[in-house]
Amino acid sequence: MPVPVAPGRLPLLGHTLPMLLRRYEFTTSLRNHGDVVRVDLGTMPTYVVTNPRLVHELLVTKGPLFRKGALFDRFLPVFGNGLATSNGTFHRGQRRMVQPSFHRDRIAAYTETMARAAADLTSTWRPGQVRVVEEDTQALAVTIVGEALFSTEMGKRAIEEVRRSIFIVLKHGMVRALSPSFVEKLPLRGNREFDAAIERMRAIVLDVVRGWREDGTDRGDLLSMLLLARHPDTGAGMSDRQVHDEVMTLLIGGIETTALALAWACHELARHPEVERRVHAEVDEVLGGRTPTFADVEKLVYVNQVVNEVLRMYPVWFLMRRALAPVELGDVVLPAGAEVIFSPHALHHDPASFEAPYRFDPGRWSPERAAKVPKGAFVPFGAGTRQCVGNLFARTEIVITLATVAARWRLVPVPGRPVRVRFTSAAYPSRLLMTAIPRNRVGGRSP
């Protein structure tokens, strides 16, 4: 059957809040035009899938019939041919090599780093001190991912370079990916900053990889796992460039998601005192004042519900796929080579899947209510064979950090300073100012 055509083009550029809201309003409105809607992405025709059931087909049941789309092609200079951008047989082989690095036993070992880093950060807070929350969460995410990846002295240098460069890459990366290709060749300040940051990160990561090759010691970090990995069929290891590409993928994919979720979680807890009280009560009961461990993550049931709700409300704007051959989705046959879009933000705010979708409601993730969420309606880390390989690492990091903070502190909004939003691949708080207030607990519990 003919594909409905959306009125207007998908708005791309612009960083102000009104521009951001117009993007979101446009993509969320597409469900009113059909399950699959033709939209022009700039000058490129695309097909937007708005029905969660069809998104599940796109990502899972018919996932092998698609590869990453045009958006990911533009990210090749950033990620190289890592898991986020590679396709086909090469991607499957790389995934089988990288996956053991994120086994539950490995993540359990990294939990100590997560808890210590969160405790170190909050130990610098002072009662009544105003914190720029997104700066704290960004710094923390860099520390955790960096220390999980690199454990050598050279690795410490790499972490400092990541701290310096990663948010320049995130700031300019999406704009660059969505702009016409000639824009990246213009002598603009943003282009110069982006190119320099990418080159600095590439150089230091390759230096660390070469240093590890010379030393050859398994240090138990993610880099050692990548360098020691062997293809299950051929027995071959990764080249230096392949390792570099996977490290860049883990850095960029692993830092923004957790920094974003943690910052918005602090904001939402402050806006919802009853949710905050329940988080404090659960943390007090489960931890009893001690440092959280990996075994505690599943016991922090309500904290996990809060994390799910934050991931629902603040996901990426959209992602893309490309059809390898004619593919039937619902009543539509997509032609070979078709560029396909799905919007996690639109899916997560669909009232057909989530009652009152713009209300922050961790209770919607209770077992009874969560079981009613349709497949494909909640995709914070994607799904199928392209699901983010580090999703358990990210979830664990967010839960451990929230529990560590909540055990000792409350963060209260600064009056008269409303939250501003900037845009990378998702809505990001900018100058989220909050006052650190020590928790007063009686007998280890909140009064």
Side-chain angles (χ1 to χ4, degrees), residues 6 13 36 57 169 173 175 186 197 296-297 305 329 338 340 343 360 376:
L13 302 181
V36 181
E57 286 190 20
V169 173
V175 173
L186 298 177
D296 294 317
V297 172
Q305 292 179 21
L329 284 180
V340 184
S343 170
F360 185 77

Coordinates of all heavy atoms in Angstrom, one line a residue, residues 6 13 36 57 169 173 175 186 197 296-297 305 329 338 340 343 360 376:
A6 N 4.5 12.6 5.4 CA 4.3 13.5 6.5 C 4.4 14.9 5.9 O 5.1 15.2 5.0 CB 5.4 13.4 7.5
L13 N 18.7 21.2 12.2 CA 19.7 22.0 12.9 C 19.1 23.0 13.9 O 17.9 23.3 13.8 CB 20.6 22.8 11.9 CG 21.3 21.9 10.9 CD1 22.2 22.7 9.9 CD2 22.2 20.8 11.6
V36 N 4.1 3.6 9.3 CA 5.3 3.9 8.6 C 5.1 5.1 7.7 O 4.1 5.1 7.0 CB 5.8 2.7 7.6 CG1 7.1 3.1 6.9 CG2 5.9 1.4 8.4
E57 N 10.0 -5.6 15.0 CA 10.4 -6.3 13.8 C 11.7 -5.7 13.2 O 12.6 -6.5 12.8 CB 9.3 -6.2 12.8 CG 8.1 -7.1 13.1 CD 7.1 -7.1 11.9 OE1 7.5 -6.9 10.8 OE2 5.9 -7.5 12.2
V169 N 33.5 16.4 21.3 CA 33.0 15.5 20.3 C 31.5 15.3 20.4 O 30.8 15.4 19.4 CB 33.7 14.1 20.5 CG1 33.1 13.1 19.5 CG2 35.2 14.2 20.2
G173 N 29.2 16.5 17.4 CA 29.1 15.3 16.6 C 27.7 15.2 15.9 O 27.7 14.9 14.7
V175 N 25.4 17.5 15.3 CA 25.2 18.6 14.3 C 26.0 18.2 13.0 O 25.5 18.4 11.9 CB 25.7 19.9 14.9 CG1 25.6 21.0 13.8 CG2 24.8 20.3 16.1
L186 N 34.1 23.3 6.0 CA 34.2 24.8 6.1 C 35.1 25.2 7.3 O 35.2 24.4 8.3 CB 32.8 25.4 6.4 CG 31.8 25.2 5.2 CD1 30.4 25.7 5.6 CD2 32.3 25.8 3.9
A197 N 39.8 17.5 18.6 CA 39.5 16.6 19.7 C 39.6 15.1 19.3 O 40.1 14.3 20.0 CB 38.1 16.9 20.3
D296 N 23.9 -6.0 45.4 CA 22.8 -5.1 45.8 C 21.9 -4.5 44.7 O 20.8 -4.0 44.9 CB 23.4 -3.9 46.6 CG 24.1 -4.3 47.9 OD1 23.5 -5.2 48.6 OD2 25.2 -3.8 48.2
V297 N 22.5 -4.5 43.5 CA 21.8 -3.9 42.4 C 20.4 -4.4 42.2 O 19.4 -3.7 42.1 CB 22.6 -4.0 41.1 CG1 21.8 -3.4 39.9 CG2 23.9 -3.2 41.2
Q305 N 13.5 1.0 39.2 CA 12.3 1.5 38.6 C 12.5 3.0 38.2 O 12.1 3.5 37.2 CB 11.1 1.4 39.5 CG 10.7 -0.1 39.6 CD 9.5 -0.2 40.5 OE1 8.7 0.7 40.7 NE2 9.3 -1.4 41.1
L329 N 7.2 -4.3 6.3 CA 6.9 -3.9 7.7 C 5.5 -3.6 7.7 O 5.1 -2.5 7.1 CB 7.8 -2.8 8.1 CG 9.3 -3.0 8.4 CD1 10.0 -1.8 8.9 CD2 9.4 -4.1 9.5
A338 N 16.4 1.5 1.4 CA 15.6 2.5 2.0 C 16.2 2.9 3.4 O 16.7 2.0 4.1 CB 14.2 2.0 2.3
V340 N 15.7 4.1 7.1 CA 14.6 3.9 8.0 C 15.0 4.6 9.3 O 16.1 4.4 9.8 CB 14.3 2.4 8.2 CG1 13.1 2.2 9.1 CG2 14.1 1.7 6.9
S343 N 12.3 6.6 16.4 CA 12.6 7.6 17.4 C 12.3 7.0 18.8 O 11.1 6.9 19.2 CB 11.7 8.8 17.2 OG 11.8 9.7 18.4
F360 N 6.4 11.8 35.2 CA 7.5 11.0 35.8 C 6.9 10.0 36.8 O 6.4 10.4 37.8 CB 8.6 11.8 36.5 CG 9.7 11.1 37.0 CD1 10.7 10.6 36.1 CD2 9.9 10.8 38.3 CE1 11.8 9.9 36.6 CE2 11.0 10.1 38.8 CZ 12.0 9.6 37.9
G376 N 9.1 -3.3 21.7 CA 9.4 -2.2 20.9 C 9.1 -0.9 21.4 O 9.5 0.1 20.8

